[in-house]
Amino acid sequence: MSKKDNTCLLTREGLRSLFIIDKKPVKGLLLFEKVVIAYAVVTTVLTLFLYTKLDNPVEILMARVRFLAMTLAMWAVYRMVPCRLILGLRGIVQLALLGLWYPETYEFNKLFPNLDYIFASWEQDIFGCQPALLFSKALPSPVISELFDMGYGSYYFMIGFTALFYFAVRYKEFERATFVILCSFFVYYIIYIFVPVVGPTYYYHAIGLQTAAQGVFPNVHDYFLTHSQSLPSPGYTDGIFYQFVESAKAAGERPTAAFPSSHVGISTICMLLAWHSRNRKLFFIYLPFYLFLCCATVYIQAHYLIDAIAGLITGVAFYFLTMWLSRRTIQ
């Protein structure tokens, strides 16, 4: 990848470079494809081990067959037409599939004992309260609500735009940036499988807001094996961004993936990638959205405050670890 043309796509020459056949194409799988395959293998083994306990093991296994076929098909197309456009599509497709991998974490982790009563108790011990219960009450302004919901919704934009920015402007590092994002996501997914924490919006609904306000956090055991209801997010319910977040929540959220917050973690990684790109304008454009996003995770009761703090710490750690791994692997 380091020998690839790094011409910016925002120029006429750059647009033409999309279709130029590379004289020295990448022969094997790209690093980000290898990490997705590794995750597929690990979860395939887990599926086989838990086969009789899972609700839909055949569907999970068939999803991996389809994924492998698609990945090999994209590789084959690139081998036939080894140009910058096809290589970029290989990365964009893998990023787009993240939304399909995420719901599976619920299928696995609901087989393990729920841990929210422990995390809510830690939250109470550390902060003397439940910040997710009080934050929206302390800042009830519709403007604040909409800014936080806007920040929360910008999460998907930050991921996609960061990858596209590297593809368009810093193509030599597109494979590395995509690997850093994907590898970090899959580490989070592994954690979510084995650390089943659903977050305040689901746990408070299960135990009741009054119980949570009193600082009582009962163990709900296997409640989320059969229940997936959540509280409506607090905030300005007539707001455009509030409605967007609620729609996204209804469409794709599951009682899973609360600790650590991947919203905070991955957006932190996008911030670090923006800084690494040396494009300070991109970094400072991201900055207000990032700050609103981090606040929103607790404000809308998606996460405990300790989830957000853990997301920040792991995001920094995963960034430097995956950057180090990529430097040792990508020539």
Side-chain angles (χ1 to χ4, degrees), residues 93-129:
V93 166
Q94 297 299 341
L95 287 168
L97 288 175
L98 283 169
L100 299 179
W101 293 110
Y102 165 72
E104 288 185 352
T105 62
Y106 172 61
E107 299 302 320
F108 291 115
N109 76 27
K110 68 182 181 180
L111 302 182
F112 300 96
N114 174 261
L115 301 176
D116 275 78
Y117 71 102
I118 297 175
F119 281 76
S121 297
W122 287 346
E123 188 99 329
Q124 192 77 22
D125 292 341
I126 294 170
F127 304 108
C129 64

Side-chain angles (χ1 to χ4, degrees), residues 135 263-264 267-268 289-299 308:
F135 196 7
H263 275 71
V264 174
S267 61
T268 298
F289 294 96
Y290 171 71
L291 295 175
F292 292 144
L293 185 156
C294 291
C295 292
T297 58
V298 180
Y299 186 90

Side-chain angles (χ1 to χ4, degrees), residues 32-33 36 66-67 70-71 74 85-101 163-164 174 178 182 186:
F32 55 76
E33 291 169 327
V36 184
R66 291 191 293 270
F67 153 74
M70 184 211 61
T71 300
M74 292 292 295
L85 176 63
I86 303 301
L87 191 145
L89 287 175
R90 291 168 68 178
I92 299 303
V93 166
Q94 297 299 341
L95 287 168
L97 288 175
L98 283 169
L100 299 179
W101 293 110
L164 289 173
F174 170 71
T178 305
L182 281 168
F186 288 121

Side-chain angles (χ1 to χ4, degrees), residues 178-256:
T178 305
F179 165 75
V180 167
I181 294 172
L182 281 168
C183 187
S184 300
F185 258 114
F186 288 121
V187 174
Y188 280 123
Y189 288 177
I190 292 292
I191 295 173
Y192 297 152
I193 288 173
F194 294 105
V195 185
V197 181
V198 302
T201 188
Y202 291 103
Y203 182 63
Y204 292 167
H205 184 277
I207 67 172
L209 286 173
Q210 189 63 33
T211 303
Q214 293 172 351
V216 178
F217 308 108
N219 185 349
V220 297
H221 301 286
D222 60 355
Y223 177 87
F224 295 109
L225 190 64
T226 55
H227 296 79
S228 58
Q229 296 84 6
S230 67
L231 295 170
S233 300
Y236 179 52
T237 57
D238 293 328
I240 294 174
F241 292 109
Y242 177 94
Q243 294 297 330
F244 171 79
V245 170
E246 284 297 283
S247 297
K249 179 178 171 182
E253 282 300 327
R254 303 287 191 281
T256 181

